Every structure is written in C-alpha cells, then in structure tokens.
C-alpha cells in the first residue's frame, strides 16, 4: 500500500501529486538562506579551525609517528593529509625535505628473502594516492617529483600460474625487481612503473603512461607502453 502511494506521488501529474512532491522535496532537503557577511565569516573561521587542526596534528602526532618507523636524516619531513599506510616488511630511509601525502601506501613484498628497501633522497615529493610497492628496492633520488596516483609496481602480488593464484600462492622472484628513479625525474599523474625499470636523470613521464622499459636521462616518455617522444 505504501509503495503504491509513493509511486503515485512520484509519477502522477495531478495537482495533489505535484503538491506532495514539492512538499516532500522541502522536507527531505531543507535549505537555510545565506546571511550576507555572517556565512562568509563562518567560512573563514571554518578554514582557520581546520588549518590549525591539520597543522597541529601534523606537527605533534603524524610526523613523529612516521619518523619513528623510518631511518635516514629525515629532517624537515612534511606530511599532509594524515599518515601514509605502511604494509608488509619494509625498510624505509628518508632524506631531508621530503614531502609525503598521508593518502599514500608504502608496501613491502612479504615473500622476499631479504627485507625490501625504500630509499628516498633529499627534496622529494611523494604525491596524493601514490602506491610504492617495493619488491626488492625502490630508490627515489634527490629532487624526484611523483604527482598523484603514481604506482611503482616493484612486485605484482600474484603468480602468473592460474592454479597457484587460486591457492593463494605469492608471486615468484622472477616477477620482482628494483625500480630506480634518478635525480630530478618527474612522473606525471597516473603513471605506472613496472619492476626492473630505471628512469634516467631529469626525465619526464607523461600522465597515464605505463613504463615497462628504462627511460633515458633528459627525455620525455609517454603512452602505454611508454616511449620516448622528445629529448630535452
């Protein structure tokens, strides 16, 4: 009965049904008029409170927590948006002036015989929603820039064999490799870099590229698979 009435209100074109639809919209989505000056001031106050809270928790909580889990000089570490998710066995070393989004994942391959290593140099940006999956070793040299949603896939997480995957077996050693990003390289939004790849000094990788082979220094690579499109 209730469903029948609801359907009638939603579909009928009579004055009564139209009135009930307007009334339902007012009840389900009430609106408060904007008060000139007052709501503008409240917005500024809201931004101030949020900024103070974010900066306070960054300085006294998130940054010391991350520093307690990493080696290296790690001076002037700057976190934003919380604390990165650290998964699996992973040795992390951070240089100075590293900036890391808290909405990022740093993971180490659990099936590795030796503890995977993430080595980050000085003045490095690790952007929003980055995933650094360390199979053996990932090295980000000085001045490297990783934009948003970059995926450094040092290990795949699953074996190639279907039966082994179904049984929950880990990936094989031959599927795993180092990823080296040389000094000053810049990876655009959505870039994926596969295991065994070295990206040369000062190289730029275009947004959305999938890098399957080494990229020479001072070149621009783009596409899937990524190819050099310009020399700087």
């Amino acid at each position: 009965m209730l469903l029948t009435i609801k359907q009638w209100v939603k579909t009928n074109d009579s004055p009564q049904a139209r009135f009930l639809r307007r009334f339902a919209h007012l009840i389900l989505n009430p609106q408060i008029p904007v008060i000139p000056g007052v709501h503008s001031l409240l917005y500024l106050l809201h931004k101030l409170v949020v900024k103070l809270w974010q900066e306070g928790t960054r300085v006294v909580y998130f940054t010391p927590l991350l520093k307690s889990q990493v080696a290296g000089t790690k001076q002037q570490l700057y976190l934003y948006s919380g604390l990165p998710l650290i998964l699996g066995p992973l040795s992390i070393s951070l240089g100075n002036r590293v900036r890391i989004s808290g909405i990022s994942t740093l993971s180490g391959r659990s099936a590795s015989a030796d503890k995977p290593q993430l080595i980050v140099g000085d003045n490095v940006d690790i952007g929003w929603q980055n995933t650094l999956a360390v199979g053996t070793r990932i090295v980000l040299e000085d001045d490297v820039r990783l934009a948003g949603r970059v995926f450094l896939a040092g290990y795949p997480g699953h074996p190639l064999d279907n039966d082994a995957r179904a049984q929950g077996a880990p990936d094989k050693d031959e599927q795993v490799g180092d990823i080296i990003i040389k000094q000053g390289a810049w990876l655009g939004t959505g870039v994926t870099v596969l295991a065994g790849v070295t990206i040369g000094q000062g190289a730029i990788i275009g947004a959305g590229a999938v890098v399957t082979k080494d990229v020479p220094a001072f070149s621009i690579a783009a596409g899937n698979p990524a190819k050099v499109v310009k020399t700087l």
Side-chain angles (χ1 to χ4, degrees):
M1 180 65 178
L2 184 60
L3 289 175
T4 302
I5 295 174
K6 184 177 180 181
Q7 189 65 22
W8 176 81
V9 171
K10 291 176 68 174
T11 60
N12 193 275
D13 200 38
S14 67
Q16 296 86 350
R18 292 199 301 270
F19 171 78
L20 289 174
R21 281 199 295 273
R22 290 194 297 269
F23 181 74
H25 290 156
L26 290 173
I27 296 298
L28 295 174
N29 186 23
Q31 300 286 306
I32 296 176
V34 173
I35 303 173
V38 173
H39 286 104
S40 297
L41 182 61
L42 284 175
Y43 178 74
L44 293 175
L45 181 62
H46 167 79
K47 289 184 66 176
L48 177 61
V49 170
V50 169
K51 184 66 173 176
L52 290 174
W53 173 258
Q54 290 174 340
E55 288 299 300
T57 53
R58 178 183 69 81
V59 171
V60 304
Y61 186 69
F62 292 123
T63 300
L65 282 183
L66 183 59
K67 281 187 172 183
S68 73
Q69 300 302 304
V70 304
T73 52
K74 55 191 175 186
Q75 297 300 311
Q76 294 178 285
L77 172 65
Y78 188 89
L79 291 179
Y80 57 98
S81 302
L83 186 70
L85 179 62
I86 301 176
L87 300 173
L90 185 60
S91 173
I92 303 173
S93 175
L94 300 180
N96 296 327
R97 304 187 317 281
V98 174
R99 295 165 293 277
I100 306 178
S101 169
I103 307 174
S104 56
T105 301
L106 315 175
S107 69
R109 179 180 180 246
S110 58
S112 294
D114 299 318
K115 195 172 187 179
Q117 294 182 309
L118 172 60
I119 302 169
V120 180
D122 295 340
N123 188 33
V124 172
D125 285 345
I126 299 175
W128 178 76
Q129 279 194 342
N130 278 200
T131 296
L132 277 56
V134 187
T136 50
R137 190 172 60 125
I138 288 180
V139 179
L140 308 180
E141 294 188 355
D142 296 348
D143 310 318
V144 163
R145 299 288 184 267
L146 306 182
R149 294 186 287 105
V150 169
F151 181 24
L152 304 185
Y155 69 97
H158 301 285
L160 296 175
D161 180 73
N162 176 61
D163 292 334
R165 279 200 308 275
Q167 294 167 11
D171 45 24
K172 301 292 186 180
D173 288 344
E174 57 266 25
Q175 298 174 262
V176 177
D178 291 352
I179 295 176
I180 311 296
I181 313 296
K182 293 288 190 177
Q183 186 270 329
W186 170 26
L187 278 60
T189 300
V191 167
T192 296
V193 181
L194 301 188
V197 167
T198 295
I199 294 178
Q201 179 183 3
I204 297 173
I205 311 300
V210 178
V211 187
T212 61
K213 298 179 180 179
D214 293 353
V215 175
F218 302 109
S219 61
I220 299 176
N224 180 9
K227 297 180 180 179
V228 173
V229 296
K230 185 176 181 180
T231 299
L232 298 173

